[in-house]
Amino acid sequence: NPRSPQTSVYDGSPKELGSELMTNGDNESAVAVFDSSDSANDCSYAQSSDIAYAGSYSAKIIRTTSGTGSFIYHFQDTDLSIVKANKVYVVSYWVYIPSGQTLVKVESFQDMNGGAIETQEVTATNTWTQVKWYGTVSSKLEVRLRADEGEQGDYFYVDNISIKEVQMGNHGTTTFY
């Protein structure tokens, strides 16, 4: 019926981001820290002035064990002390892999649900590559940076690490007669 009311829903409101949850994500005043459960496997993680995406410092992740294999750095909140369940978060950071070493790939794993893992690979060398994803947290937030097949002394950099809640905007409705 052309004379009946019609309702339109508008969702033009901005999706604002919450405050930064990553401490020192720019690595300028100190190396980035997310939670006390952050950890390193077969590597060290330290502030570096060698190269930076923005500012003067980045975090340098170096394989410390002998032989060839993967090494992993974890940013994680496994007990939901920082992030909250059923909220949407955006995680982003920049990765730089210098050429001339055995290391040729950094895999970024994101786990927000205790097993539902999303992977993004960085293979470009001598350039900063952004890794970014959105997800709804269920039981934890874990970000793993895994370098595959690196030898002792191989390294990569990470900078401008950011973890923020995505805050949904308001919806408006209008009825036309």
Side-chain angles (χ1 to χ4, degrees), residues 77-80 85-86 111-115 136-141:
D77 178 8
T78 57
D79 61 0
L80 299 181
N86 302 314
D111 181 355
M112 293 188 176
N113 301 307
T136 303
V137 168
S138 175
S139 61
K140 68 178 179 175
L141 171 64

Side-chain angles (χ1 to χ4, degrees), residues 16-148:
E16 300 291 330
L17 295 178
S19 60
E20 182 59 61
L21 300 175
M22 189 75 176
T23 303
N24 302 322
D26 62 3
N27 297 292
E28 292 302 306
S29 61
V31 72
V33 175
F34 184 49
D35 187 60
S36 60
S37 61
D38 291 353
S39 65
N41 297 78
D42 300 321
C43 64
S44 65
Y45 176 80
Q47 185 183 41
S48 173
S49 61
D50 294 350
I51 190 169
Y53 175 74
S56 301
Y57 297 94
S58 65
K60 187 174 187 178
I61 301 171
I62 306 170
R63 180 171 170 84
T64 55
T65 55
S66 62
T68 301
S70 63
F71 54 103
I72 304 170
Y73 191 81
H74 302 260
F75 296 108
Q76 55 194 357
D77 178 8
T78 57
D79 61 0
L80 299 181
S81 62
I82 299 171
V83 298
K84 304 300 175 212
N86 302 314
K87 299 287 184 178
V88 177
Y89 291 88
V90 59
V91 177
S92 67
Y93 47 90
W94 293 83
V95 174
Y96 185 97
I97 305 171
S99 62
Q101 55 184 349
T102 303
L103 171 64
V104 294
K105 175 174 63 175
V106 174
E107 294 176 321
S108 299
F109 296 89
Q110 167 239 353
D111 181 355
M112 293 188 176
N113 301 307
I117 294 177
E118 177 182 333
T119 305
Q120 294 183 29
E121 291 183 356
V122 176
T123 57
T125 58
N126 298 330
T127 188
W128 287 98
T129 303
Q130 186 180 34
V131 176
K132 185 175 187 176
W133 50 52
Y134 293 83
T136 303
V137 168
S138 175
S139 61
K140 68 178 179 175
L141 171 64
E142 180 180 6
V143 176
R144 285 182 260 165
L145 301 172
R146 182 176 81 184
D148 274 345

Side-chain angles (χ1 to χ4, degrees), residues 140-160:
K140 68 178 179 175
L141 171 64
E142 180 180 6
V143 176
R144 285 182 260 165
L145 301 172
R146 182 176 81 184
D148 274 345
E149 301 308 315
E151 294 181 357
Q152 186 173 14
D154 280 359
Y155 59 94
F156 65 95
Y157 301 92
V158 61
D159 204 4
N160 281 35

